[in-house]
Amino acid sequence: MGVLRIMSDGIRKVLSIQSHVVSGYVGNKSATFPLQLLGFEVDGINSVQFSNHTGYGYWKGQVLNESQFGDLMNGLRSNGLDNYSHLLTGYIGSESFLLRVVDVVRHLRKVNRNLVYVCDPVLGDNGHMYVPKEMLPLYRDRIISLSNILTPNQFEAELLTGEKINNLDDAVRAMKLLHAKGCDIVVLSSSDFGSEDHLLALASSHINGKRKSVVIKIPRFKQHFTGTGDLFTALFLAWMSRTQNDLKTSMEKTIATMQTVLKKTVDYSEGLEIENSSSRKFELRLIQSKVDIENPNVVIKAEVLQT
Amino acid sequence: MGVFLLMSNEMHKVLSIQSHVVSGYVGNKSATFPLQVLGFEVDAINSVQFSNHTGYGYWKGQVLNDSQLGDLMDGLKSNGLDKYSHLLTGYIGSESFLLRVVEVVRHLRTVNEKLVYVCDPVLGDNGQMYVPKEMLPIYRDRIIPLANILTPNQYEAELLTGEKINNLDDAVRAMTLLHAKGCDIVVLSSSDLGSENHLLALASSLIDGKRKCVTIKIPRFKQNFTGTGDLFTALFLAWMSHTQDDLKASLEKTIATMQAVLKRTIEHGKSLGNEESTPGNFELRLIQSKEEIEKPKVVIKAEVLNI
């Protein structure tokens, strides 16, 4: 598909519909700064404004409903501010909001037929769904076919395909099913069939009838982080655009930055006198990783899969 | 690169309470990226979420009220996320919200007694107030005594002191009056005391009984921009912090970046070649000016005033 071709003289402007937290790094707080550093204008629509992410157990704030979301889009449209190279969506909390996203993709594609829609289909993780189950058919039947780049985790890929993933072959088959639903590029951002020390991430593209798959080993961290999926998707968007869809390079650079950010986060946490159970201890050290975002130092190489 | 990045023990964390626009660069959209590039974590409370700034004539969005601001602060407090090195406030639209800010400053100072409060007392410009007039006494009598750095424009300084500013002596006297109200550092971010080709900016500090004043000439642009005041205040905050309150260097670096951003904005605006200059054509080219934010090239020097 020509849809993914980004002209070098073209605009680099992302409409990013995600959560905003005042403190910490998830959603738009995690995605915006890296994208900006890598040269993208980021227009953030904050689907919520919370004091902090919900992993803390206590939070306060406001939720944007679908009609308020519609208002914002109306304002952009009326002023001719709706020409975007990319649309990025992450966690969405309600069916009605997700249905509005369908309208938005269609509209943005009318304004720019080369729009690249990058969708992180946030449904759940590790066998647990954390959005209403009515959202699954919406993602599966209406969103995926509109998206160019899809970044599910293993559980989400299982939900979206209805097939259990137990090994590499299953994963490749799942990605193929997602391609068949109309998605050019699928990234399994993490899966647990690596080893005790490693997770595996896989990426697969199906462009102009040509299939390509790569896999990369990611060292596991003991800690639990929040906002890493949002960071991953943002970085992958940026590198795919900057490398004209070089799947292998984009995965390598994305993982290189991720690993450095996580390492810095862990190192910093060790100097903090806060309990390990506190979410505050492991907020991503994103601002302090500026150089690693701009110039990722690739240590772990991806492998091309023969599929 | 900056010496400041090596001082890892020092906290560089700003709570920034300003507007958010999806498209374009005013309020937090104008302040956040530069501060982050200069090494600050920026926790943004978005006092509004609008599609675009109001200069377009048409916009849509949501307004945060004082009780919702209280909710967000409650969430931060409850999780021990309320320790900041800086508080930054810009445009505030209502009396009740501003009164809540008074409480926020007091609270943040109980958590960190060294908190630096940087206040842009947005009241109006060029002889016209654009906030309710009831807000003037609140800024004058309650906010200014709490502020460490105040960045009024000429009209705002006149309103806050009740004295007309017609020449350099008047400006210095106005800054003296504002110091007397309890504010350590005052910057007149722009005044029409220069010439046809130049605006004049002035900065004055009164720290430990020692007074210092500097002035800098800023080439005028014919074009009208939005968000420049917010950018100015953010940059000045950053450079005052990084230079340990070196007034002259901070003003020079701030103006150097500003000039580079405005120049790039004009060139881009002209390249769009539309007959009519819509506000959208002159949105600040902030993301494209990353290097000039990181490493401002000082061309225009500030002069120390003998007072």
Side-chain angles (χ1 to χ4, degrees):
Chain A
M1 261 210 237
V3 164
L4 288 163
R5 211 184 316 116
I6 295 294
M7 311 125 287
S8 57
D9 60 338
I11 52 163
R12 283 189 167 155
K13 200 165 179 185
V14 183
L15 181 65
S16 179
I17 304 172
Q18 300 197 61
S19 311
H20 171 69
V21 287
V22 176
S23 184
Y25 297 92
V26 305
N28 271 334
K29 246 330 232 334
S30 188
T32 304
F33 182 58
L35 282 167
Q36 288 177 327
L37 282 183
L38 292 170
F40 292 78
E41 300 209 60
V42 182
D43 286 6
I45 288 186
N46 297 320
S47 54
V48 307
Q49 170 162 248
F50 284 170
S51 53
N52 48 271
H53 72 71
T54 57
Y56 283 78
Y58 184 86
W59 70 93
K60 290 269 187 161
Q62 300 82 40
V63 178
L64 191 78
N65 64 36
E66 73 276 10
S67 110
Q68 294 170 319
F69 173 33
D71 285 345
L72 291 171
M73 290 307 303
N74 169 276
L76 296 177
R77 251 195 310 254
S78 301
N79 288 298
L81 298 170
D82 50 359
N83 188 8
Y84 290 101
S85 61
H86 294 78
L87 169 68
L88 171 59
T89 64
Y91 172 82
I92 289 166
S94 77
E95 239 185 309
S96 51
F97 199 98
L98 188 57
L99 279 170
R100 190 69 72 134
V101 169
V102 173
D103 296 337
V104 169
V105 187
R106 294 222 173 98
H107 171 72
L108 294 182
R109 213 158 256 159
K110 241 179 258 168
V111 179
N112 175 17
R113 62 188 178 87
N114 291 327
L115 176 88
V116 175
Y117 174 28
V118 181
C119 173
D120 187 0
V122 180
L123 292 162
D125 205 355
N126 299 315
H128 287 293
M129 272 187 85
Y130 40 66
V131 299
K133 63 178 190 323
E134 293 74 24
M135 294 179 72
L136 173 56
L138 281 182
Y139 272 112
R140 190 187 55 211
D141 304 331
R142 307 196 56 181
I143 291 281
I144 293 182
S145 54
L146 293 172
S147 71
N148 303 94
I149 300 183
L150 193 75
T151 59
N153 60 33
Q154 180 175 351
F155 177 59
E156 288 157 350
E158 291 176 343
L159 287 172
L160 292 168
T161 59
E163 306 269 346
K164 192 94 187 93
I165 299 174
N166 291 315
N167 53 48
L168 199 61
D169 285 349
D170 292 349
V172 170
R173 197 159 36 235
M175 294 193 294
K176 202 172 165 186
L177 285 169
L178 292 168
H179 286 315
K181 285 181 195 285
C183 193
D184 310 320
I185 290 154
V186 179
V187 184
L188 263 183
S189 55
S190 73
S191 68
D192 62 10
F193 48 80
S195 67
E196 213 172 293
D197 306 326
H198 293 88
L199 298 166
L200 282 188
L202 291 102
S204 170
S205 65
H206 187 76
I207 300 173
N208 298 329
K210 273 175 69 179
R211 177 83 186 272
K212 200 171 172 184
S213 289
V214 301
V215 60
I216 191 164
K217 278 186 184 178
I218 315 171
R220 278 184 202 265
F221 286 88
K222 277 180 214 145
Q223 290 77 12
H224 179 74
F225 306 96
T226 310
T228 45
D230 308 323
L231 176 59
F232 181 99
T233 304
L235 292 170
F236 189 74
L237 181 164
W239 287 113
M240 284 296 275
S241 170
R242 290 174 59 130
T243 64
Q244 277 87 45
N245 296 325
D246 182 330
L247 207 60
K248 183 170 181 290
T249 307
S250 298
M251 280 295 268
E252 287 169 348
K253 287 185 187 285
T254 298
I255 296 298
T257 297
M258 294 289 300
Q259 287 293 306
T260 318
V261 171
L262 296 184
K263 192 164 181 310
K264 278 197 176 156
T265 302
V266 169
D267 288 350
Y268 180 74
S269 76
E270 283 164 2
L272 293 176
E273 288 170 14
I274 307 174
E275 304 151 42
N276 275 341
S277 60
S278 169
S279 291
R280 180 152 66 98
K281 191 162 184 173
F282 298 107
E283 286 285 3
L284 300 181
R285 299 291 281 171
L286 202 59
I287 306 302
Q288 297 80 5
S289 304
K290 175 174 162 287
V291 176
D292 313 295
I293 294 167
E294 293 172 318
N295 297 304
N297 181 18
V298 173
V299 184
I300 312 171
K301 293 277 186 180
E303 282 171 47
V304 176
L305 284 178
Q306 310 298 336
T307 51
Chain B
M1 258 230 298
V3 175
F4 57 87
L5 288 177
L6 302 173
M7 307 187 307
S8 53
N9 285 339
E10 231 173 285
M11 183 181 40
H12 289 114
K13 199 166 179 183
V14 183
L15 180 65
S16 179
I17 306 176
Q18 301 196 61
S19 310
H20 172 70
V21 286
V22 177
S23 183
Y25 297 92
V26 305
N28 272 333
K29 247 328 231 335
S30 187
T32 303
F33 179 65
L35 282 167
Q36 288 177 326
V37 165
L38 291 170
F40 290 79
E41 300 210 58
V42 181
D43 286 6
I45 290 185
N46 296 320
S47 54
V48 307
Q49 170 162 246
F50 284 170
S51 53
N52 49 272
H53 72 71
T54 57
Y56 285 78
Y58 184 86
W59 70 94
K60 290 273 185 166
Q62 301 81 40
V63 177
L64 192 79
N65 64 34
D66 55 308
S67 108
Q68 293 171 320
L69 168 61
D71 285 346
L72 291 171
M73 290 307 301
D74 169 58
L76 296 177
K77 253 186 295 226
S78 302
N79 288 298
L81 298 169
D82 50 357
K83 189 171 185 192
Y84 290 101
S85 60
H86 295 77
L87 169 67
L88 171 60
T89 64
Y91 173 81
I92 289 166
S94 78
E95 233 183 313
S96 55
F97 198 95
L98 188 58
L99 285 171
R100 190 70 72 138
V101 168
V102 172
E103 289 172 32
V104 170
V105 187
R106 294 222 174 97
H107 170 72
L108 294 182
R109 222 161 246 160
T110 62
V111 180
N112 176 17
E113 55 167 16
K114 291 186 173 156
L115 176 88
V116 175
Y117 174 29
V118 181
C119 173
D120 187 0
V122 180
L123 292 162
D125 207 355
N126 299 315
Q128 300 244 283
M129 272 187 85
Y130 40 66
V131 300
K133 64 178 192 318
E134 293 75 24
M135 295 179 71
L136 172 57
I138 303 178
Y139 271 112
R140 190 186 54 211
D141 304 330
R142 307 193 58 181
I143 291 281
I144 294 182
L146 294 171
N148 302 92
I149 301 183
L150 193 74
T151 59
N153 59 32
Q154 180 175 353
Y155 176 60
E156 288 157 350
E158 291 177 343
L159 287 173
L160 292 167
T161 59
E163 306 270 346
K164 192 94 187 95
I165 299 174
N166 291 315
N167 52 48
L168 200 60
D169 285 349
D170 291 349
V172 172
R173 198 158 38 235
M175 294 193 293
T176 306
L177 286 170
L178 293 168
H179 285 316
K181 286 181 196 284
C183 194
D184 310 323
I185 290 152
V186 180
V187 184
L188 265 183
S189 55
S190 73
S191 73
D192 59 14
L193 307 172
S195 66
E196 210 174 296
N197 303 318
H198 293 88
L199 297 166
L200 214 55
L202 291 101
S204 170
S205 65
L206 181 73
I207 300 172
D208 299 328
K210 273 174 67 180
R211 180 78 186 271
K212 201 171 172 185
C213 259
V214 299
T215 176
I216 192 164
K217 279 185 183 179
I218 315 170
R220 278 186 203 264
F221 288 93
K222 276 183 209 142
Q223 185 61 40
N224 198 14
F225 306 97
T226 310
T228 46
D230 308 324
L231 175 59
F232 181 99
T233 304
L235 293 169
F236 190 74
L237 180 164
W239 287 114
M240 285 295 274
S241 171
H242 289 329
T243 64
Q244 278 87 47
D245 293 333
D246 183 331
L247 207 59
K248 184 170 181 289
S250 298
L251 202 57
E252 285 169 348
K253 286 177 190 288
T254 298
I255 296 298
T257 298
M258 294 287 301
Q259 289 291 307
V261 171
L262 295 184
K263 195 163 174 290
R264 176 170 287 119
T265 302
I266 295 236
E267 280 163 10
H268 179 256
K270 282 181 182 163
S271 78
L272 297 174
N274 288 358
E275 295 271 317
E276 45 180 329
S277 68
T278 62
N281 287 357
F282 292 95
E283 288 283 2
L284 299 180
R285 299 293 281 172
L286 204 58
I287 305 304
Q288 297 80 3
S289 304
K290 185 178 76 169
E291 271 176 49
E292 289 90 346
I293 294 167
E294 270 190 282
K295 294 170 196 154
K297 210 182 284 166
V298 174
V299 185
I300 313 171
K301 292 279 186 179
E303 282 172 46
V304 177
L305 283 179
N306 292 306
I307 48 168

